[in-house]
Amino acid sequence: DAGITQSPRYKITETGRQVTLMCHQTWSHSYMFWYRQDLGHGLRLIYYSAAADITDKGEVPDGYVVSRSKTENFPLTLESATRSQTSVYFCASSPYASTSSSYEQYFGPGTRLTVT
Amino acid sequence: ELKVEQNPLFLSMQEGKNYTIYCNYSTTSDRLYWYRQDPGKSLESLFVLLSNGAVKQEGRLMASLDTKARLSTLHITAAVHDLSATYFCAVDLPGANSKLTFGKGITLSVRP
């Protein structure tokens, strides 16, 4: 499918387990982002990547790990899930600015994660 | 640190009436984005405003940007139920590596 996809869409896991959320985009966008959305906090940036093999922390990176070996994929791993990581996770991508004057981000459908 | 504030956070609108919602930001930027989110769904891009004085319109929504005042407005004309959603504004900073800073969103509810 064209665009940006996330899997799984829903996930229930137990405290302490490792969980990986997948994000895949078909546009060859340079930039990719992971956000979490919680009531009262809006969208908070977890990690972002400017290109393959280039990643950096966002506002709330603790407890999360990312990798980006290929431009199109940007998985997010919760190394040892905690209840506070129960949230809706959105992946987004953005083209490199030299091809556009805009940093508009395109969002995936989201993954609803519950940690019990 | 860039801060983006939206107000009000919740707005109950009456069908057929006009409303304006606001997005303020704390640091100079020429680029502002509006997104819409329906309950349980993802964010959908509405408007991209790339310069001072930029105005974009789509149906009953019109967005404008005043970079000197660090303010964007989203004007709603003759509200209809389909406009019920949460609206986010976001700002990027030069050199911020494509990162956007989002406001907390304004939830609009249109009642008959």
Side-chain angles (χ1 to χ4, degrees):
Chain A
D1 292 333
I4 183 165
T5 57
Q6 293 182 236
S7 62
R9 296 291 314 279
Y10 303 90
K11 176 75 177 177
I12 300 174
T13 192
E14 294 176 343
T15 301
R17 292 198 179 257
Q18 183 179 82
V19 176
T20 295
L21 309 183
M22 304 300 293
C23 179
H24 175 78
Q25 53 106 352
T26 61
W27 295 307
S28 299
H29 283 171
S30 293
Y31 293 96
M32 295 188 76
F33 307 84
W34 274 107
Y35 295 90
R36 60 178 290 174
Q37 186 176 34
D38 306 286
L39 275 174
H41 291 282
L43 278 166
R44 292 183 290 176
L45 181 65
I46 304 170
Y47 269 96
Y48 67 101
S49 169
D53 297 323
I54 301 175
T55 61
D56 207 348
K57 296 177 182 179
E59 183 186 352
V60 288
D62 292 344
Y64 303 95
V65 174
V66 293
S67 62
R68 195 167 175 206
S69 57
K70 292 184 178 181
T71 299
E72 60 267 29
N73 296 324
F74 191 37
L76 175 75
T77 298
L78 288 66
E79 294 185 295
S80 178
T82 64
R83 288 200 181 89
S84 65
Q85 292 177 309
T86 292
S87 186
V88 179
Y89 291 85
F90 289 103
C91 178
S93 71
S94 176
Y96 179 54
S98 68
T99 61
S100 155
S101 59
S102 161
Y103 281 121
E104 183 179 9
Q105 292 183 13
Y106 300 85
F107 283 79
T111 295
R112 186 173 294 274
L113 176 68
T114 302
V115 183
T116 62
Chain B
E1 179 193 349
L2 172 60
K3 291 188 179 177
V4 180
E5 293 184 352
Q6 295 186 248
N7 61 80
L9 291 183
F10 180 82
L11 181 61
S12 178
M13 305 189 294
Q14 191 171 353
E15 256 184 357
K17 293 200 169 179
N18 301 335
Y19 296 88
T20 300
I21 60 177
Y22 302 93
C23 173
N24 295 85
Y25 53 98
S26 60
T27 306
T28 301
S29 174
D30 288 338
R31 296 193 291 225
L32 188 136
Y33 310 80
W34 283 96
Y35 288 85
R36 169 182 170 141
Q37 185 179 35
D38 292 306
K41 303 291 186 183
S42 184
L43 281 78
E44 173 190 355
S45 180
L46 279 178
F47 299 110
V48 177
L49 303 169
L50 298 178
S51 62
N52 186 41
V55 177
K56 293 277 184 76
Q57 182 158 8
E58 177 80 28
R60 299 174 187 275
L61 300 178
M62 185 175 72
S64 62
L65 178 61
D66 181 344
T67 59
K68 291 183 173 57
R70 301 175 187 170
L71 171 70
S72 179
T73 59
L74 184 63
H75 186 73
I76 300 150
T77 301
V80 293
H81 180 72
D82 284 353
L83 292 178
S84 298
T86 299
Y87 294 81
F88 291 91
C89 64
V91 176
D92 77 59
L93 288 176
N97 229 359
S98 188
K99 289 189 291 182
L100 299 184
T101 300
F102 284 82
K104 293 206 168 145
I106 297 175
T107 298
L108 304 183
S109 176
V110 181
R111 65 184 189 280

